[in-house]
Amino acid sequence: MKAIRCHGFGGNHRLETGLDVPRPGPGEVLVRVDASGICAADRAMWDATGPWDLSFPFTPGHEFTGTVVELGDGAADRHGLREGDRAIAELNITYGNDFFRQRGKYHLSDRMDVLGATLDGGWAEYMIYPADAVIHKVPDTLSNRAACYVEPLANAIHGVQRADIGFEDVVVIAGAGPIGMGMVQAARLKTPRKLILINPGEAKRKLALTLGADLAFHPDDPALGTTLDDLTGGRGADVFLEASGRGSAFLQGLDLIRKAGRMVVFGVYKDPVPFDLNILGEFKELDLRGGHLAPFTYATALDLMARGLIDGEACVTHSYPLEAYEEAITRKPQPGEVQIKVIFEPNKPG
């Protein structure tokens, strides 16, 4: 088979051919990869700007969907699967019964493998879902492209859940990447009073308005502040979700959010962000919450897309074969173009 293998950070990726197709062990599932996404974390590995310490080589790709082609001993009963099913595995594989797993926070477990990092991921024609993976069947109504969007959407849903959005809330979301655009759609289902997106690119702002945002602004648009003042009597936003990974967006959130507001930080930041801690306590008494991964939200993401409540297809904008991996990983949007989720389709003919 073919696979993209990472031999080190800083663009040290290679397309390798003639690799053995892995065979599933007890409880494991072999899938033919139908689609596998490129995440900002994958680009950080390419650029050597990420905060992770990993062993090489490995096959990246933690956003994927595949068709079951072989089941290891006991895997059919363990996972409720049969050959021909389409299925997704959650990216984090946890073990044991540590403090966090006991409390339902398995995504924070001290013992964890990650598909596409410590275990081989989906940038390949075939991959193994481990015996300890949490695996979900893909509904027949979902395309492979929409199914590939489940992982970032599940993250977005977790972030929205962390925000505890209420009916009367004015909600601001910063960033219109895969997670930010998923947050727009998931937050709309919470029916806040107003839902506002902040993003530099006009094309993404226009798309967000079709996917659920009431208003969309460039971060430098002075109308953003005046609009928030008009909506809230000068108090500021009730909820601010930071999904851009930009320090400037986090700082803007501190400025725009009201006293006792809720702020969820879901971005991954390349550099430290200095700010005045007095804003959190002395001046605003903010409720600052982190967001990480997608505990218990993969099934929700699949269900919401299957019911037509979230449009996953709209968020998968570009597809490449494995052979064009460098172009795909480094791709930048053209002026006026919407680029959200770029994927590989390793087994697509032609």
Side-chain angles (χ1 to χ4, degrees):
M1 70 170 190
K2 294 179 291 188
I4 299 167
R5 302 281 286 167
C6 178
H7 290 264
F9 294 156
N12 196 3
H13 292 58
R14 304 174 200 163
L15 177 65
E16 299 184 8
T17 61
L19 300 172
D20 290 335
V21 175
R23 298 297 304 275
E28 295 181 340
V29 180
L30 174 67
V31 301
R32 182 182 67 249
V33 178
D34 296 317
S36 186
I38 301 171
C39 176
D42 297 313
R43 293 192 176 97
M45 293 178 189
W46 177 272
D47 296 335
T49 57
W52 312 284
D53 182 16
L54 299 174
S55 298
F56 305 102
F58 65 90
T59 302
H62 59 266
E63 306 169 356
F64 45 76
T65 182
T67 299
V68 177
V69 294
E70 188 176 352
L71 293 156
D73 185 41
D77 290 336
R78 184 183 185 100
H79 302 294
L81 295 173
R82 62 184 179 183
E83 291 183 14
D85 285 341
R86 291 186 303 149
I88 292 168
E90 298 192 16
L91 68 89
N92 52 314
I93 316 298
T94 61
Y95 311 99
N97 194 27
D98 71 6
F99 177 92
F100 296 102
R101 291 190 88 201
Q102 288 176 357
R103 288 156 178 81
K105 296 185 180 297
Y106 64 96
H107 62 305
L108 301 176
S109 177
D110 290 324
R111 295 184 59 210
M112 182 187 301
D113 276 315
V114 178
L115 288 163
T118 66
L119 300 174
D120 288 337
W123 291 5
E125 292 181 305
Y126 295 87
M127 69 177 292
I128 291 287
Y129 293 173
D132 288 315
V134 180
I135 300 175
H136 305 272
K137 289 178 65 174
V138 175
D140 292 338
T141 55
L142 285 190
S143 69
N144 290 331
R145 289 191 173 200
C148 185
Y149 182 58
V150 165
E151 194 276 337
L153 176 58
N155 277 261
I157 291 168
H158 178 49
V160 168
Q161 289 176 336
R162 294 279 290 154
D164 289 331
I165 294 170
F167 298 129
E168 294 300 315
D169 286 338
V170 173
V171 179
V172 177
I173 297 170
I179 292 178
M181 206 66 88
M183 284 180 171
V184 167
Q185 297 190 71
R188 167 50 55 205
L189 298 177
K190 296 288 187 178
T191 63
R193 181 159 65 92
K194 271 297 186 270
L195 180 59
I196 300 171
L197 175 76
I198 302 175
N199 191 75
E202 182 181 9
K204 284 186 175 180
R205 296 200 302 271
K206 289 181 177 178
L207 177 60
L209 292 173
T210 72
L211 295 178
D214 296 306
L215 301 164
F217 295 94
H218 189 285
D220 297 331
D221 188 342
L224 170 60
T226 57
T227 299
L228 271 176
D229 285 345
D230 290 343
L231 287 170
T232 66
R235 291 187 303 276
D238 302 288
V239 177
F240 190 97
L241 293 111
E242 205 309 276
S244 73
R246 297 174 180 267
S248 58
F250 171 76
L251 296 175
Q252 185 173 35
L254 293 179
D255 181 55
L256 295 178
I257 199 166
R258 66 164 168 82
K259 295 176 183 178
R262 297 179 302 285
M263 187 170 186
V264 178
V265 180
F266 219 100
V268 177
Y269 301 86
K270 295 180 179 180
D271 300 302
V273 182
F275 66 97
D276 184 358
L277 284 169
N278 288 314
I279 298 172
L280 301 184
E282 178 67 15
F283 299 142
K284 288 194 172 184
E285 196 178 84
L286 292 182
D287 189 347
L288 181 63
R289 306 178 182 186
H292 179 60
L293 294 180
F296 305 108
T297 52
Y298 276 71
T300 303
L302 286 164
D303 176 64
L304 292 175
M305 286 196 291
R307 287 195 281 150
L309 297 173
I310 287 180
D311 188 348
E313 286 272 355
C315 296
V316 179
T317 54
H318 298 81
S319 172
Y320 287 86
L322 293 177
E323 288 80 0
Y325 69 91
E326 183 169 355
E327 179 184 352
I329 296 170
T330 61
R331 191 186 196 283
K332 304 293 184 184
Q334 300 300 309
E337 179 188 34
V338 172
Q339 177 179 311
I340 302 175
K341 176 54 61 183
V342 181
I343 68 170
F344 294 112
E345 293 182 279
N347 287 286
K348 184 177 180 180

